[in-house]
């Protein structure tokens, strides 16, 4: 028999994400306020009640409302570990990471990282709170097939983040398919996404597109903000139906692909300008990871530099470290790594010093 849960939330993305990902594995009843709980509990006895973190103050202010629930069945559901909830001694679960464990009835939620996971996560170097939060989000995203939207300025590491999610996922044994939409025409983008049949246009040949090549794996669509409205509608159809047709063809193909998107565009502003479909945005933004620019987390500069230089057996002098850590990297991590690559060509010893570094 399927386990049953009540989810109390007003967060559309959380509700829709739970419904799409887990409604086939469990029975879930949705309500939008804690005041709706008592009438529900008179009719059913759920295996667990999930309270959106937004409503967590009610647990302190109105404890009498929850006296009949039983603390062993009550969980606060959150997108990240909330330390004020942990300190209060309240049980919490992280969405979507912990939901499969809850459904299976495993007692240990928010499992610790394996040695392999820790090794892979070194690929997102940094000691800032933002870097730690992103690593937690990478792990959470890797444990579900939910679409992921990665946002941030150019050069912040959106592609690295997507690759880490794939490498930690159950699809890791198949190569991730990458497609960059920047400066790509609609016709070329459609052909590359869905494939073509011979005769679809001049010189066209029959070949698979990214959705076919990524079947069973991950498809990373970079610069999703460059999609035009017509192509957005076709992408939305594939996300919802898992079916598509090659350009110029009539045969329907099915794809089992995990989608990760990235953009440096403010999609909400693009929606307001009628340049991006709101329904597509809500389908791809169930799980959002935002990567701040490097200038806002300067404590990550040296850990990133040291991680990059480790395979080259090079270290930075104190002067070089001071220069790198105070520079305002407008090109973000990409600019930092380009600077270090050039320094490697100028340094013939073990230590990269000030004369080896060219900023700009």
């Amino acid at each position: 028999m399927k386990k049953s849960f009540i989810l109390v939330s007003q967060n559309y993305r959380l509700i829709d994400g739970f419904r799409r990902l887990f409604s086939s594995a469990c029975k879930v009843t949705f309500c939008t306020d804690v005041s709706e709980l008592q009438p529900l509990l008179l009719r059913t006895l759920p295996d667990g009640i999930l309270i959106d973190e937004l409503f967590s103050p009610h647990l302190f202010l109105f404890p009498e409302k929850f006296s009949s629930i039983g603390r062993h069945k009550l969980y606060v559901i959150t997108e990240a570990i909330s330390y004020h909830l942990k300190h209060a001694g309240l049980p919490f679960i992280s969405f979507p990471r912990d939901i499969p464990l809850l459904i299976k009835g495993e007692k240990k939620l928010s499992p610790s990282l394996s040695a392999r996971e820790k090794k892979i996560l070194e690929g997102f170097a940094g000691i800032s709170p933002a870097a730690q939060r992103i690593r937690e989000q990478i792990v959470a995203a890797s444990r579900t097939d939910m679409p992921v939207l990665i946002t941030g300025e150019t050069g912040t590491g959106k592609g690295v983040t997507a690759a880490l999610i794939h490498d930690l996922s159950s699809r890791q044994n198949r190569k991730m398919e990458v497609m960059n939409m920047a400066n790509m025409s609609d016709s070329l983008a459609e052909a590359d996404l869905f494939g073509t049949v011979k005769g679809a246009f001049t010189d066209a040949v029959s070949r698979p597109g990214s959705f076919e090549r990524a079947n069973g794996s991950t498809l990373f669509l970079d610069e999703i903000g460059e999609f035009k409205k017509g192509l957005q509608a076709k992408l939305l159809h594939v996300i919802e139906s898992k079916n598509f047709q090659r350009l110029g063809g009539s045969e329907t193909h099915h794809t089992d692909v995990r989608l990760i998107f990235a953009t440096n565009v403010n999609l909400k502003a693009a929606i307001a300008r009628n340049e991006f479909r709101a329904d597509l945005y809500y389908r791809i933004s169930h799980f959002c990871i935002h990567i701040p620019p490097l200038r806002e987390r300067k404590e990550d500069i040296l850990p990133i530099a040291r991680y990059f230089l480790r395979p080259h057996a090079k270290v930075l002098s104190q002067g070089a470290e001071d220069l790198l850590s105070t520079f305002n990297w407008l090109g973000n991590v990409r600019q930092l790594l380009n600077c270090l690559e050039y320094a490697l060509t100028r340094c013939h010893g073990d230590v990269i010093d000030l004369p080896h570094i060219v900023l700009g």
Side-chain angles (χ1 to χ4, degrees):
M1 181 181 295
K2 288 184 179 180
K3 290 196 172 183
S4 63
F5 299 95
I6 297 175
L7 173 61
V8 185
S9 177
Q10 294 177 352
N11 184 333
Y12 168 79
R13 291 193 313 178
L14 176 62
I15 294 171
D16 191 50
F18 201 105
R19 179 183 290 115
R20 289 167 58 82
L21 290 173
F22 303 114
S23 60
S24 61
C26 65
K27 181 181 178 182
V28 58
T29 302
F30 301 97
C31 57
T32 58
D33 194 82
V34 292
S35 62
E36 301 174 30
L37 270 177
Q38 292 297 343
L40 281 174
L41 292 173
L42 293 175
R43 301 193 303 267
T44 181
L45 184 62
D47 293 291
I49 299 171
L50 316 179
I51 307 284
D52 193 320
E53 185 176 9
L54 173 68
F55 295 112
S56 61
H58 289 262
L59 303 175
F60 301 101
L61 298 176
F62 308 106
E64 68 279 0
K65 289 187 177 182
F66 305 95
S67 59
S68 63
I69 296 174
R71 292 290 292 270
H72 65 288
K73 291 185 177 181
L74 178 64
Y75 302 89
V76 174
I77 187 168
T78 176
E79 292 185 343
I81 296 175
S82 299
Y83 291 98
H84 68 281
L85 294 177
K86 289 178 67 179
H87 291 164
L90 297 173
F92 72 94
I93 59 174
S94 178
F95 179 85
R97 179 183 62 189
D98 293 333
I99 304 302
L101 298 175
L102 187 65
I103 293 173
K104 292 177 183 178
E106 298 185 19
K107 294 183 178 180
K108 186 178 180 182
L109 299 176
S110 299
S112 58
L113 298 179
S114 67
R116 176 182 170 275
E117 287 175 324
K118 291 179 181 178
K119 181 67 175 177
I120 291 174
L121 285 172
E122 290 180 1
F124 197 95
I127 60 174
S128 69
Q132 177 58 31
R133 182 176 64 253
I134 291 166
R135 285 192 290 268
E136 290 176 356
Q137 290 176 310
I138 288 171
V139 173
S142 72
R143 293 175 177 172
T144 175
D145 269 350
M146 175 186 288
V148 176
L149 176 63
I150 307 170
T151 63
E153 293 181 3
T154 298
T156 50
K158 298 187 292 294
V160 169
T161 301
L164 293 175
I165 292 171
H166 172 74
D167 290 343
L168 286 168
S169 76
S170 61
R171 299 171 182 261
Q172 62 188 266
N173 293 328
R174 297 204 58 185
K175 182 180 177 181
M176 181 175 76
E177 183 77 14
V178 179
M179 185 172 173
N180 191 315
M181 305 303 301
N183 303 316
M184 188 177 290
S185 67
D186 279 6
S187 57
L188 180 58
E190 185 174 358
D192 280 358
L193 272 176
F194 306 120
T196 58
V197 297
K198 186 175 181 180
F201 51 83
T202 305
D203 298 327
V205 297
S206 294
R207 65 177 183 86
S210 294
F211 274 106
E212 285 181 78
R213 293 193 298 269
N215 189 40
S217 185
T218 302
L219 174 56
F220 173 46
L221 296 178
D222 200 3
E223 303 300 349
I224 184 66
E226 301 293 328
F227 269 52
K228 300 299 186 290
K229 294 290 285 289
L231 196 54
Q232 291 173 30
K234 293 181 180 180
L235 179 59
L236 178 62
H237 172 73
V238 180
I239 294 173
E240 293 182 334
S241 69
K242 304 293 186 182
N243 295 321
F244 66 94
Q245 294 177 337
R246 288 186 180 183
L247 186 62
S250 57
E251 181 183 355
T252 297
H253 297 264
H254 180 79
T255 184
D256 170 26
V257 64
R258 197 272 173 84
L259 289 164
I260 302 178
F261 305 91
T263 183
N264 60 7
V265 173
N266 185 329
L267 294 183
K268 289 185 177 178
I271 292 171
R273 296 192 301 269
N274 198 32
E275 295 174 358
F276 201 86
R277 293 177 62 112
D279 50 1
L280 176 58
Y281 174 76
Y282 291 123
R283 281 289 179 264
I284 69 176
S285 62
H286 288 305
F287 200 118
C288 289
I289 299 177
H290 177 68
I291 307 178
L294 194 55
R295 62 185 175 274
E296 294 181 6
R297 47 187 182 100
K298 286 196 170 184
E299 62 265 53
D300 290 340
I301 293 173
L302 293 182
I304 292 170
R306 292 167 184 153
Y307 177 80
F308 173 78
L309 293 173
R310 189 189 307 166
H312 302 280
K314 304 281 187 180
V315 296
L316 294 163
S317 70
Q318 185 61 55
E321 287 193 346
D322 292 342
L323 178 62
L324 294 178
S325 62
T326 56
F327 186 70
N328 200 23
W329 298 97
L330 297 181
N332 294 298
V333 177
R334 183 177 299 160
Q335 183 186 11
L336 171 62
L337 299 187
N338 286 342
C339 173
L340 292 173
E341 285 180 349
Y342 187 52
L344 286 173
T345 66
R346 295 161 59 87
C347 175
H348 302 295
D350 297 330
V351 180
I352 294 177
D353 208 346
L354 286 171
H356 305 132
I357 296 176
V358 178
L359 300 175

